[in-house]
Amino acid sequence: MSVIFLLLIASITVAGLFLLAFLWSVKKGQFDDEQSPPVRMLFDDPPSQP
């Protein structure tokens, strides 16, 4: 029975860390660019230097 409580605490902790990481990335503007991803494949890549 104690293993269940240990796993429950561990899973809630991991879920909380992922939630904090997601909220931090939203606050830092990681998901702000809504315009360029659909048309990014239409742009040519710059030529690579040999």
Side-chain angles (χ1 to χ4, degrees):
M1 194 68 168
S2 65
V3 173
I4 293 174
F5 292 125
L6 180 66
L7 290 175
L8 184 64
I9 291 170
S11 64
I12 289 173
T13 303
V14 169
L17 289 174
F18 278 113
L19 178 64
L20 287 175
F22 174 73
L23 293 175
W24 177 76
S25 65
V26 168
K27 185 178 179 180
K28 291 292 183 180
Q30 185 72 26
F31 303 109
D32 283 347
D33 189 16
E34 297 174 354
Q35 185 62 27
S36 67
V39 296
R40 188 177 296 150
M41 66 181 179
L42 301 175
F43 299 133
D44 288 333
D45 290 336
S48 61
Q49 299 294 335

